[in-house]
Amino acid sequence: MKIPVKDKSYKVLFLVFHGFSEYNGISKKIWGQIHGLKSIGVDVSLCYYSVEADGSRVWMIGDEILVDFGKGPLAKIRKRLDYRAISEYVQQNKFALIYIRSDHNANPFTLNMVKNMRLSGAKVLMEIPTYPYDQEYSTLRMRLELTIDRLYRKKLAKQLNAYVTFSDAQMIFGQRAICISNGIDFNTIPVRNPQAATEKRAIHLLGVAEIHYWHGFDRLVRGLGLYKQSHPDCQIIFHLIGRFSSELERTSILDPIMDFNLQQHVVLHGPLWGDELDAMFNLADFAIGSLGRHRSGIQVIKTLKNREYAARGIPFIYSESDADFDCQPYVLKASPDESAIDITKILEFLKREKFSPTCIRNSILDLSWGEQMNKVLQEI
């Protein structure tokens, strides 16, 4: 059942603590959520932080500047501490709901902002994109930044109406959680048009991500190296698309490439978009999801990547638990450990199973962002 908001009277402020990039996956997700809300009749305003071309640090409401903090170090500090303009905007515009994307930044200033928002009569939700998240803070500097969040997040939780999570957690920091799936904006993701088998000599595997250690692509590379040792004439190519998030990830991929002499079998494309990315999905036979979520202490998660692969219409592998896909016939599950991926199992799977891209895509039509954001609104 959809909420009765077709008269655009239900107003939502979507608050993000960072800016946007045309090709950034997080940005695409947020736009998908906003379009999903609009598709069910909600009046959505987007509030976000931006650094302008001249270096000015500003908070934006849509295309309009809400507050300009100026330039330089002082402006950078004020941006982190001063949310009065946002609170006043909420007070003046009578929003029914404030939807905040967490930046793991619980502190006295965000706490006070949420308190003031609640005074307007609005309900306030906070989405935690990945939960739990403490284990993702690996360096000393990152852990020091997390310390402030850990001091204030339970106090912040008390001021919220609920959290929104893509995990199966029912409570987060003492506050109830609304569980949804990552959604898909089907208008922005074309279904693939695979090349005929007669046109290809090799099996093409594809991984697309901003590459972090929890993606575990090194497990696939090591598995390919072991397979090549016993099948020296194998025609398998792994295409890895995206930028490495740090030197750790780069080394974890490059070292086994060198160790197993896989220079002809692993292609590092860097980021691709648009027609170039579409062409890679048309070439590929099988996609590689996350194979290392256990490294960050996560067992259950509903990743955007699995949904993007399914929307494209390509079979894929992953190692976490994802209730939306665990029993799908076009999914191959890997064990959540450090073992090398068994390439033979992938080849047997592809030989045994044939899937229509359209059928794969149609299996997840209920995972549109409109459906998922409607679940949130129904809960409150």
Side-chain angles (χ1 to χ4, degrees), residues 13-17 47 59 83-92 94-100 109-126 156 159-161:
L13 181 70
F14 200 115
L15 175 60
V16 183
F17 292 100
C47 179
W59 278 102
Y83 300 107
R84 287 175 297 177
I86 301 174
S87 299
E88 291 172 0
Y89 185 81
V90 170
Q91 294 278 355
Q92 295 165 4
K94 305 300 180 183
F95 290 98
L97 171 66
I98 313 300
Y99 190 95
I100 305 174
F109 307 100
T110 52
L111 179 61
N112 188 60
M113 177 185 69
V114 171
K115 284 182 178 180
N116 288 330
M117 288 174 169
R118 291 289 299 274
L119 290 175
S120 72
K123 294 184 178 182
V124 182
L125 303 182
M126 179 169 284
L156 178 61
Q159 299 300 320
L160 301 171
N161 291 96

Side-chain angles (χ1 to χ4, degrees), residues 130-276:
T130 301
Y131 179 81
Y133 57 81
D134 286 4
Q135 66 283 347
E136 294 183 359
Y137 286 72
S138 55
T139 67
L140 177 60
R141 178 177 177 179
M142 292 173 69
R143 287 195 292 269
L144 289 174
E145 292 176 351
L146 182 65
T147 299
I148 300 174
D149 178 79
R150 296 181 70 175
L151 285 172
Y152 286 94
R153 60 194 181 189
K154 288 187 177 181
K155 294 180 180 178
L156 178 61
K158 291 180 180 179
Q159 299 300 320
L160 301 171
N161 291 96
Y163 281 101
V164 177
T165 179
F166 305 104
S167 70
D168 60 354
Q170 300 300 306
M171 298 287 290
I172 295 178
F173 308 141
Q175 178 59 269
R176 78 178 180 110
I178 300 171
C179 300
I180 66 171
S181 294
N182 263 305
I184 287 292
D185 185 351
F186 288 98
N187 292 325
T188 64
I189 301 178
V191 67
R192 71 193 190 103
N193 182 23
Q195 292 185 7
T198 55
E199 299 177 10
K200 299 189 300 184
R201 296 179 58 189
I203 297 294
H204 295 269
L205 311 179
L206 177 66
V208 184
E210 181 178 325
I211 304 164
H212 292 274
Y213 70 98
W214 60 73
H215 288 123
F217 291 130
D218 55 287
R219 293 183 63 193
L220 191 285
V221 176
R222 286 187 283 118
L224 184 54
L226 294 173
Y227 183 82
K228 184 175 179 291
Q229 287 181 337
S230 56
H231 302 79
D233 296 327
C234 72
Q235 294 292 310
I236 302 173
I237 301 175
F238 176 38
H239 301 270
L240 188 52
I241 297 174
R243 60 173 56 88
F244 293 101
S245 60
S246 76
E247 192 59 31
L248 170 65
E249 283 79 7
R250 182 185 299 276
T251 301
S252 72
I253 299 295
L254 294 182
D255 283 356
I257 290 176
M258 297 300 294
D259 294 342
F260 289 103
N261 193 27
L262 293 173
Q263 291 85 349
Q264 302 302 314
H265 295 270
V266 180
V267 182
L268 306 178
H269 291 271
L272 296 178
W273 301 282
D275 292 343
E276 289 182 306

Side-chain angles (χ1 to χ4, degrees), residues 47-61 64-72 74-80 82-86 88:
C47 179
Y48 63 98
Y49 168 72
S50 178
V51 180
E52 300 294 272
D54 65 356
S56 298
R57 298 178 181 274
V58 301
W59 278 102
M60 304 289 295
I61 299 289
E64 302 293 328
I65 294 176
L66 177 65
V67 58
D68 187 340
F69 293 118
K71 308 172 187 177
L74 181 60
K76 188 175 182 179
I77 294 172
R78 289 183 63 198
K79 169 261 176 182
R80 291 178 174 269
D82 189 351
Y83 300 107
R84 287 175 297 177
I86 301 174
E88 291 172 0

